[in-house]
Amino acid sequence: YKFEGTLDKFGSPSPILGRRFSEGALKVAVDRRGTTITGKAKIEGVPTDVNMFEPSESSSAQERRDFAMTLDDAARARMGLDLAGMVAGPLKIEIGQPGANEQVKRIIADMTGARLFVPQFGWTKGAGVPARASLDLVDDERGGTRVDNFSIESEGLQVKGSMTVDKDKRLATADFQRFALRRGDDARIRLQRGADQALAVNFEAGSFDLRSLLASLKKQGEPNEVDPKKLSDLIVKARAARLVGFNDVALTDVLIDA
């Protein structure tokens, strides 16, 4: 058997998967394998491509819930996604969730159209420069979020590791086994937020290029595009075999405790 139909201007007064659906223009197909729903809708007011599959009780097929959307600054604010002033502009997002009862959400983001900032290290990316990120999101029982298998790559930038975010959407911990802002960087960085909200940074590197950081320090008195209210005090411990500065100046066997 097979049944096909459409839903026009579909909406739900109750949240679906924890989000508000509205203005849905969806196609529904039902057969022996299960129910497939495809089309477009607004989720929290954001236009979204929808691709969902619910297997029948007799089917061995896997449940699927995939969504694709573009989130600008206003959309991220409505969805409670505070990226600590590190992103400005649109992000193209793909979200995959194996099933309604699964905690893990797989997210892939095309960040090419956005500006990115890593202010503590003086690194920026302009709009139009290719950048891509992927991660697994897992909600914890205390209202926070765990970020596993995090990876972001752009021009010279390569960061891989894991993070936790507390219930107030603040970065609580991070462990980036791979941390590079320029080609040739070889570093690891671990972060831990204390009770006073200061961020403790433990930095280890075989080799790391400091030129972006040094250039940023020179601009401390200049206006900054990043909201300073979103930047916390830092407590830094660093160990590096080699740090590279301007004019090929290099420091070796460096220890910092500040």
Side-chain angles (χ1 to χ4, degrees), residues 133-148:
S134 60
L135 54 98
D136 294 333
L137 280 184
V138 184
D139 295 332
D140 67 28
E141 64 278 1
R142 293 169 295 183
T145 304
R146 192 175 79 242
V147 181
D148 295 332

Side-chain angles (χ1 to χ4, degrees), residues 113-190:
R115 291 174 294 155
L116 305 182
F117 311 92
V118 185
Q120 293 88 344
F121 287 88
W123 185 90
T124 63
K125 180 198 83 70
V129 177
R132 182 179 175 86
S134 60
L135 54 98
D136 294 333
L137 280 184
V138 184
D139 295 332
D140 67 28
E141 64 278 1
R142 293 169 295 183
T145 304
R146 192 175 79 242
V147 181
D148 295 332
N149 302 313
F150 174 79
S151 174
I152 180 171
E153 296 190 26
S154 184
E155 193 174 66
L157 176 71
Q158 188 179 63
V159 179
K160 296 184 178 182
S162 60
M163 297 176 279
T164 60
V165 179
D166 65 20
K167 60 183 178 61
D168 297 317
K169 309 301 182 183
R170 294 172 301 192
L171 181 66
T173 66
D175 184 359
F176 300 123
Q177 296 93 344
R178 171 69 173 161
F179 186 85
L181 301 182
R182 290 175 181 259
R183 290 181 178 86
D185 285 350
D186 176 21
R188 176 176 185 169
I189 187 168
R190 284 167 286 186

Side-chain angles (χ1 to χ4, degrees), residues 47-251:
T48 303
D49 292 329
V50 177
N51 188 340
M52 303 171 63
F53 176 73
E54 181 79 25
S56 63
E57 292 184 0
S58 60
S59 174
S60 60
Q62 186 176 9
E63 186 176 1
R64 183 184 69 251
R65 298 170 186 270
D66 296 334
F67 307 94
M69 63 187 73
T70 297
L71 299 179
D72 59 14
D73 296 345
R76 291 196 297 274
R78 287 200 303 273
M79 297 183 113
L81 301 176
D82 183 0
L83 300 179
M86 299 177 71
V87 178
L91 303 178
K92 295 181 179 180
I93 304 291
E94 297 178 10
I95 303 173
Q97 186 173 2
N101 297 322
E102 296 287 340
Q103 289 185 314
V104 179
K105 299 180 182 70
R106 181 65 174 169
I107 297 179
I108 298 174
D110 181 349
M111 312 176 84
T112 300
R115 291 174 294 155
L116 305 182
F117 311 92
V118 185
Q120 293 88 344
F121 287 88
W123 185 90
T124 63
K125 180 198 83 70
V129 177
R132 182 179 175 86
S134 60
L135 54 98
D136 294 333
L137 280 184
V138 184
D139 295 332
D140 67 28
E141 64 278 1
R142 293 169 295 183
T145 304
R146 192 175 79 242
V147 181
D148 295 332
N149 302 313
F150 174 79
S151 174
I152 180 171
E153 296 190 26
S154 184
E155 193 174 66
L157 176 71
Q158 188 179 63
V159 179
K160 296 184 178 182
S162 60
M163 297 176 279
T164 60
V165 179
D166 65 20
K167 60 183 178 61
D168 297 317
K169 309 301 182 183
R170 294 172 301 192
L171 181 66
T173 66
D175 184 359
F176 300 123
Q177 296 93 344
R178 171 69 173 161
F179 186 85
L181 301 182
R182 290 175 181 259
R183 290 181 178 86
D185 285 350
D186 176 21
R188 176 176 185 169
I189 187 168
R190 284 167 286 186
L191 310 174
Q192 176 76 50
R193 189 176 300 281
D196 59 358
Q197 301 308 313
L199 200 60
V201 180
N202 191 309
F203 177 85
E204 299 176 359
S207 179
F208 196 79
D209 194 320
L210 286 177
R211 284 177 292 176
S212 296
L213 175 60
L214 295 174
S216 177
L217 293 175
K218 291 180 181 179
K219 296 180 181 179
Q220 283 185 347
E222 300 179 11
N224 197 313
E225 292 184 82
V226 181
D227 184 354
K229 295 180 181 179
K230 293 187 176 182
L231 302 180
S232 302
D233 291 334
L234 295 178
I235 301 170
V236 179
K237 292 185 178 181
R239 179 190 297 270
R242 186 171 184 266
L243 296 177
V244 179
F246 293 106
N247 301 318
D248 294 325
V249 174
L251 300 175

